[in-house]
Amino acid sequence: MHDIRSIRENPAAFDQGLRNRGMEPLSARLIALDDRRKSAVSALQAATERRNALSKEIGQAKAKKDEARAQELMAEVARIKESMPELEEAERAAEKALFEALAGIPNIPKAEVPVGADEHGNVERHRVGNPRNLAAARQHFEIGEALGLMDFETAAKLSGSRFVVLKGGLARLERALGQFMIDLHVTEHGYTEVNPPLLVRDEAMFGTTQLPKFEEDQFWAFPGSALWEIVSAALDGQPREAVARMVKDARYGLIPTAEVTLTNLVREQILSEEELPLRFTALTPSFRAEAGSAGRDTRGMIRQHQFVKCELVSITTPETSADEHERMLACAENVLKKLELPFRTMTLCTGDMGFASTKTYDIEVWLPGQGAYREISSCSVCSDFQARRMNARYRPAGEKQPRFVHTLNGSGLAVGRTLVAVLENYQNEDGSVTIPSVLQPYMGGVTRIERQA
């Protein structure tokens, strides 16, 4: 969420940041909305002050036995009271218009972020590891289906497209990957493990910017009784706005990533500087509607509606967030290093960054079956953009006034995509898959997954 005062102080810098994202300048429109809001606030304040002043004058007139003057003043008070609801509504409408406009604008990229329109403008930072030389590399779904342990057909009968049923060794391998990741981040990287809710209110989704702009990308759940009340209200012809309010009051969002819950752990709090940084990690199912992804990665596990992800979140002071971003990236990369999977790290350009991010690194793992590097983690620093939406603050040592914290989030890693990478990079000519050595303790000593007779 942007601060309108900062936009007023430097509209040119704000507009340039939007241009770098491929957007039109908006400072003039936002300042006009703020002027309208200020005017509405002033009009209401002036009416309130006049009413209060008149009330005193009425008392003074009555004390002097000047009934005519008292009646005249009382009539003016009545006119002001009659106008108050309209003035209050004008103030609410002006506040809402500015709030909604600001809520729909993405974060401003840092100055060092490369300017570009899309993924073609991303800049490679480094590569780690050498891809294996595989004569006839197969894709993960070919490997999994040949093993008889990856079943998309049955999943489609159960749930539709973009779901999978994993069995036997592959189910255990996915579980092993998640346990390995969470253990690594807790024991070696110093994160605090959290087991958060998977269902959240709109306020939490707003805090981490899934709302309002990305509402259609989310899955929503409703208690059965509430759903029928909403359906009945719509069928009875209730106003659209009333039905929409019922929907938002009743629904829960299924988290698209534990970023939502972990970041919102500090919402509406004032932390002490000594408590920072806070580092949280969680291994959870995640859910995404994948709106707008029709035709992309339709086969396999790359783009699923339901997947497991190990999330990393940091809460820091403004002065330390840049260093924390580098640290988080190193933690995510360390997972791939220990799995001995080749990868490259990219600095995303302004046109490919997420809505809340002010700078993002993407880690892309090598998939020999596709002959390409594919994203497996994004690590972003969001400055105080999410903190303003959550009202998450800290009090610097020796100061009275609190400041907004900085928030960071990253994948450490997406478990399903890591499973894909292990299958493709550790595949053998006989159709079996070798288990990376670091995972073998989590697999009960199993070193290979083979098709069972």
Side-chain angles (χ1 to χ4, degrees):
M1 195 80 167
H2 293 288
D3 179 9
I4 187 62
R5 292 169 298 181
S6 297
I7 296 172
R8 280 183 170 277
E9 289 171 4
N10 198 343
F14 178 76
D15 285 340
Q16 185 57 53
L18 295 182
R19 287 191 189 95
N20 289 345
R21 275 191 176 265
M23 298 176 62
E24 293 296 320
L26 292 173
S27 65
R29 173 173 173 259
L30 293 171
I31 290 171
L33 287 172
D34 191 39
D35 287 341
R36 175 186 160 198
R37 180 193 64 82
K38 288 182 175 181
S39 178
V41 170
S42 296
L44 179 59
Q45 185 177 356
T48 302
E49 290 173 353
R50 179 59 178 162
R51 181 192 62 190
N52 294 340
L54 288 171
S55 296
K56 291 181 180 180
E57 290 184 39
I58 291 169
Q60 293 169 356
K62 286 188 174 183
K64 294 177 181 179
K65 308 296 184 183
D66 189 346
E67 195 59 33
R69 177 59 178 164
Q71 289 298 321
E72 179 184 338
L73 295 171
M74 289 169 67
E76 186 175 351
V77 168
R79 289 193 295 272
I80 291 175
K81 286 184 176 179
E82 187 177 346
S83 70
M84 292 291 277
E86 183 177 344
L87 292 173
E88 290 169 348
E89 176 56 32
E91 182 192 34
R92 283 193 294 270
E95 291 274 9
K96 181 181 178 183
L98 178 60
F99 181 85
E100 290 181 348
L102 289 170
I105 300 172
N107 205 350
I108 299 300
K110 287 187 173 185
E112 70 262 25
V113 173
V115 177
D118 51 33
E119 67 272 12
H120 300 294
N122 297 340
V123 176
E124 184 172 320
R125 178 185 167 104
H126 54 247
R127 294 191 184 202
V128 175
N130 297 311
R132 285 178 61 194
N133 185 17
L134 298 173
R138 292 180 296 170
Q139 295 199 52
H140 69 280
F141 51 84
E142 298 171 315
I143 300 167
E145 288 174 334
L147 289 169
L149 303 177
M150 185 179 289
D151 189 345
F152 296 99
E153 183 177 348
T154 300
K157 292 177 182 177
L158 295 172
S159 306
S161 62
R162 298 193 186 278
F163 290 91
V164 66
V165 173
L166 298 177
K167 305 173 186 176
L170 290 192
R172 187 172 188 178
L173 180 57
E174 185 181 51
R175 176 161 52 91
L177 281 165
Q179 291 177 327
F180 160 68
M181 291 175 192
I182 202 82
D183 285 350
L184 178 65
H185 294 312
V186 170
T187 60
E188 292 193 22
H189 299 155
Y191 285 83
T192 299
E193 183 175 0
V194 178
N195 185 4
L198 304 181
L199 300 173
V200 295
R201 292 294 194 185
D202 278 18
E203 293 80 4
M205 289 282 206
F206 178 82
T208 43
T209 72
Q210 282 74 32
L211 290 179
K213 191 173 179 63
F214 305 103
E215 185 172 9
E216 67 177 14
D217 292 333
Q218 315 309 319
F219 279 110
W220 301 97
F222 294 84
S225 58
L227 183 59
W228 284 116
E229 287 177 9
I230 293 166
V231 172
S232 297
L235 293 175
D236 289 345
Q238 293 288 329
R240 182 183 180 90
E241 294 78 9
V243 174
R245 184 71 264 166
M246 291 177 68
V247 168
K248 292 184 177 181
D249 286 345
R251 72 185 181 182
Y252 292 89
L254 279 71
I255 60 169
T257 159
E259 171 201 349
V260 177
T261 38
L262 296 182
T263 308
N264 274 279
L265 290 176
V266 298
R267 71 177 295 111
E268 298 171 3
Q269 291 189 45
I270 300 179
L271 305 165
S272 66
E273 185 171 4
E274 291 73 22
E275 294 178 80
L276 302 177
L278 294 172
R279 298 184 179 112
F280 302 122
T281 185
L283 179 67
T284 67
S286 301
F287 307 88
R288 293 184 187 173
E290 293 291 354
S293 296
R296 297 173 59 190
D297 298 308
T298 54
R299 289 209 65 189
M301 292 180 59
I302 292 291
R303 200 174 297 275
Q304 297 270 282
H305 287 313
Q306 174 185 321
F307 54 96
V308 178
K309 190 163 176 274
C310 187
E311 186 70 16
L312 306 174
V313 162
S314 295
I315 312 296
T316 74
T317 65
E319 294 78 13
T320 60
S321 62
D323 288 342
E324 184 70 16
H325 193 202
E326 301 297 322
R327 183 187 189 278
M328 179 178 284
L329 174 65
C331 292
E333 290 182 338
N334 196 31
V335 178
L336 292 172
K337 289 178 180 177
K338 287 184 176 294
L339 290 169
E340 300 182 79
L341 292 170
F343 67 90
R344 69 181 185 183
T345 298
M346 310 291 289
T347 302
L348 297 195
C349 71
T350 54
D352 200 33
M353 288 167 47
F355 184 87
S357 175
T358 189
K359 185 177 182 180
T360 296
Y361 296 126
D362 264 12
I363 306 173
E364 299 177 348
V365 68
W366 174 253
L367 298 183
Q370 293 190 18
Y373 286 95
R374 297 298 303 269
E375 179 200 337
I376 199 167
S377 171
S378 282
C379 296
S380 298
V381 57
C382 302
S383 63
D384 62 2
F385 191 75
Q386 294 176 325
R388 290 181 180 277
R389 299 166 81 103
M390 299 185 301
N391 195 24
R393 295 174 291 169
Y394 78 102
R395 183 169 282 110
E399 296 184 19
K400 292 183 178 180
Q401 288 297 112
R403 300 170 63 189
F404 288 105
V405 298
H406 278 201
T407 63
L408 303 91
N409 63 81
S411 305
L413 306 165
V415 178
R417 291 195 178 192
T418 310
L419 175 64
V420 168
V422 169
L423 292 179
E424 295 199 11
N425 283 278
Y426 282 87
Q427 62 181 293
N428 301 308
E429 291 184 6
D430 63 1
S432 65
V433 176
T434 300
I435 305 299
S437 58
V438 75
L439 295 180
Q440 291 174 14
Y442 293 90
M443 295 288 291
V446 173
T447 60
R448 290 163 71 93
I449 297 176
E450 302 174 302
R451 183 175 180 88
Q452 300 300 305

